Amino acid sequence: MTGWLAIAGLGPGDAALITPEVSAALSEATDVVGYAPYVARVGAREGLTLHPSDNGMELKRACDALKLAAEGRKVVVVSSRDPGVFAMAAAVFEALEASRKWQDVAIRVLPGVTAMLAAAARTGAPLGHDFCAINLSDNLKPWPVIEKRLRLAADADFAIALYNPRSTSRADGFGRALDVLREAGCGGRIVIFAHAVTTAKERIETVSLKDARPEMADMATLVIIGNSATRRVGRFVYAPRRAS
Amino acid sequence: MTGWLAIAGLGPGDAALITPEVSAALSEATDVVGYAPYVARVGAREGLTLHPSDNGMELKRACDALKLAAEGRKVVVVSSRDPGVFAMAAAVFEALEASRKWQDVAIRVLPGVTAMLAAAARTGAPLGHDFCAINLSDNLKPWPVIEKRLRLAADADFAIALYNPRSTSRADGFGRALDVLREAGCGGRIVIFAHAVTTAKERIETVSLKDARPEMADMATLVIIGNSATRRVGRFVYAPRRAS
């Protein structure tokens, strides 16, 4: 038996957004590895071993998955959304680089619908013009780097997707991020708070940046800050394709 | 019969990357509207009318689709990749804003796997850290805006996904973009040229920015410029999660 490792994205929540490619990999797998809430989205079946783990265990999880694949297992590492955007794919390649003993493992990355695309779709087309994506967690990068990127993104007039805006252990950063953008002259921009999009708990709020409050976001929220031209039409929000 | 309009993304090419949500909408549709090569990806069947149109007809196509839906048809506007990223969704909302007579049409946007996610997955995890996406076409925005955004993106140390890098009518812009990034000190960065990803014509080249040449890209190419920390491990390219 020849093992392999697939790093797969389960999409934002709705099973109708899981690609057939990912479903096929899951149906062939012998082992599923991932953060417990994502592993729980994969149905148990005969011959499939589930390996749920805690948050913050990304490198350990990546090593475990590589080890299983090297032993001949067919392993799917699951991320929610897309595995390549602030998720498990980078962690697997870090583990691979740190210990070349797994360099012959067959690895594939299976893309998914990342949160900002799902949030954009539910609200209109706020990413229809140039944009950027910033992970607001400062667990792995210094906060001043985040502030610098926010200022430059405002200056570039990008729409800005903010991943992981706020958690119980990082309660203050998001409020500071909103302040940075207001100081950069973005107070009039439209902000979308997209909570748990495409799930039963979906809740979407759209406000002006000057009225945005930190507590509108949690870890299940994807925040999109429009560019200077982003506008409403009926219940939708979109970024015009044309810029001057 | 109550009409509706779904703006759907067919993904980058491989049918295994079309979401079940999009497949379901196509199976219920009476009409499919879009740029001819994308409409050709939808199979003909009894009861389905295909409406292919030329490139550059986005607003006309959006109006045609809204009109059909208002008449009670079940209409899917198809984009390749994701409809919300430099594609048809923004054009439909522009058409809706320009003529409010269609304001009661039921509109949904169905997300898809956008080209940069597919290109990233095929090469590793180059979008595993903060990044931006810039449409290099200057049909709808002045070229100096593009250059400014490239300089700010380099300064922010974003990975940079470039959509629509080069066409026969815009042969020079991409070369200038490469020059702007080299002048901004990015000559040592890794550049990925991902041509027709997930199709039979897929071709991927990875070079240093100082060695990148404009003719490596065409309109079917998605270009990703790594950030300053992006590195190779075996045949893969990834952006480490950690930044200093």
Side-chain angles (χ1 to χ4, degrees):
Chain A
M1 173 168 153
T2 305
W4 48 255
L5 176 59
I7 312 162
L10 296 177
D14 185 344
L17 294 177
I18 299 175
T19 66
E21 181 180 64
V22 168
S23 296
L26 288 169
S27 72
E28 292 166 22
T30 59
D31 297 80
V32 170
V33 173
Y35 177 42
Y38 308 151
V39 171
R41 289 178 56 192
V42 179
R45 65 168 163 78
E46 182 84 22
L48 180 67
T49 306
L50 302 178
H51 304 263
S53 50
D54 288 342
N55 201 2
M57 305 290 288
E58 288 78 13
L59 266 187
K60 162 100 171 46
R61 189 186 297 147
C63 293
D64 292 348
L66 283 161
K67 184 167 179 291
L68 284 166
E71 290 167 1
R73 312 283 295 175
K74 300 176 178 176
V75 183
V76 178
V77 172
V78 287
S79 283
S80 73
R81 326 192 286 202
D82 177 85
V85 176
F86 314 134
M88 279 303 296
V92 170
F93 294 114
E94 282 175 32
L96 192 67
E97 189 178 20
S99 177
R100 300 302 298 274
K101 65 186 169 192
W102 296 309
Q103 61 182 312
D104 294 329
V105 171
I107 300 176
R108 291 177 297 154
V109 182
L110 311 183
V113 174
T114 185
M116 66 180 167
L117 300 186
R122 299 296 280 173
T123 50
L127 304 180
H129 196 81
D130 301 338
F131 62 92
C132 66
I134 299 176
N135 184 350
L136 223 55
S137 168
D138 59 351
N139 293 340
L140 294 168
K141 64 190 166 192
W143 181 259
V145 169
I146 297 175
E147 286 205 4
K148 179 183 177 186
R149 287 181 181 158
L150 290 168
R151 283 192 197 95
L152 291 166
D155 195 13
D157 203 7
F158 283 132
I160 304 170
L162 297 176
Y163 281 71
N164 304 319
R166 195 159 175 263
S167 71
T168 43
S169 62
R170 296 182 294 104
D172 299 334
F174 180 55
R176 285 154 68 192
L178 294 176
D179 287 341
V180 165
L181 292 171
R182 282 188 278 253
E183 285 159 17
C186 302
R189 292 200 194 185
I190 293 173
V191 183
I192 297 165
F193 290 88
H195 177 85
V197 277
T198 82
T199 75
K201 293 180 179 166
E202 176 175 299
R203 192 181 66 244
I204 293 173
E205 273 186 290
T206 305
V207 300
S208 175
L209 179 55
K210 64 180 181 302
D211 300 321
R213 287 173 290 109
E215 58 273 22
M216 289 175 174
D218 62 19
M219 279 302 275
T221 308
L222 189 287
V223 177
I224 297 177
I225 292 139
N227 69 20
S228 63
T230 299
R231 62 185 68 203
R232 295 172 190 269
V233 51
R235 70 175 183 86
F236 299 105
V237 173
Y238 82 100
R241 297 171 304 151
R242 193 174 292 276
S244 53
Chain B
M1 174 167 153
T2 305
W4 49 253
L5 175 59
I7 312 162
L10 297 176
D14 184 345
L17 294 176
I18 300 175
T19 67
E21 182 180 65
V22 168
S23 296
L26 288 170
S27 72
E28 293 166 22
T30 59
D31 297 80
V32 169
V33 173
Y35 177 43
Y38 307 152
V39 171
R41 290 179 55 193
V42 178
R45 65 167 164 78
E46 182 84 23
L48 180 67
T49 307
L50 302 178
H51 305 263
S53 51
D54 288 342
N55 201 3
M57 304 290 289
E58 287 79 11
L59 266 187
K60 162 104 172 42
R61 188 186 299 147
C63 292
D64 291 348
L66 284 161
K67 184 168 178 293
L68 284 166
E71 290 167 1
R73 311 284 295 176
K74 299 174 179 179
V75 183
V76 177
V77 173
V78 287
S79 284
S80 73
R81 324 190 289 202
D82 178 85
V85 175
F86 314 133
M88 279 303 296
V92 170
F93 294 114
E94 283 175 33
L96 192 68
E97 189 177 20
S99 177
R100 300 302 299 271
K101 65 186 169 193
W102 296 309
Q103 62 180 310
D104 295 329
V105 171
I107 299 176
R108 291 176 297 154
V109 181
L110 311 183
V113 174
T114 186
M116 67 181 167
L117 300 186
R122 299 296 279 172
T123 50
L127 304 180
H129 196 82
D130 301 338
F131 62 93
C132 66
I134 298 176
N135 184 350
L136 222 56
S137 168
D138 59 350
N139 292 341
L140 294 168
K141 64 190 167 193
W143 181 260
V145 169
I146 296 176
E147 286 205 6
K148 179 183 177 185
R149 287 180 182 159
L150 289 168
R151 283 193 198 94
L152 291 166
D155 195 14
D157 204 7
F158 284 131
I160 305 171
L162 297 177
Y163 281 71
N164 305 318
R166 196 158 175 265
S167 72
T168 43
S169 61
R170 295 182 295 103
D172 300 333
F174 180 54
R176 284 153 70 191
L178 294 175
D179 286 340
V180 165
L181 292 172
R182 281 188 277 252
E183 285 159 18
C186 301
R189 293 202 194 185
I190 292 173
V191 183
I192 298 164
F193 290 87
H195 176 85
V197 278
T198 82
T199 75
K201 294 180 178 166
E202 177 175 298
R203 192 181 66 243
I204 294 174
E205 272 184 291
T206 305
V207 299
S208 174
L209 178 55
K210 63 180 180 304
D211 300 320
R213 287 173 290 109
E215 57 274 21
M216 290 175 174
D218 61 18
M219 279 304 274
T221 308
L222 189 287
V223 178
I224 297 177
I225 292 139
N227 68 20
S228 63
T230 299
R231 63 183 70 203
R232 295 171 191 269
V233 52
R235 69 175 184 85
F236 300 105
V237 173
Y238 82 100
R241 298 171 304 151
R242 192 174 294 274
S244 51

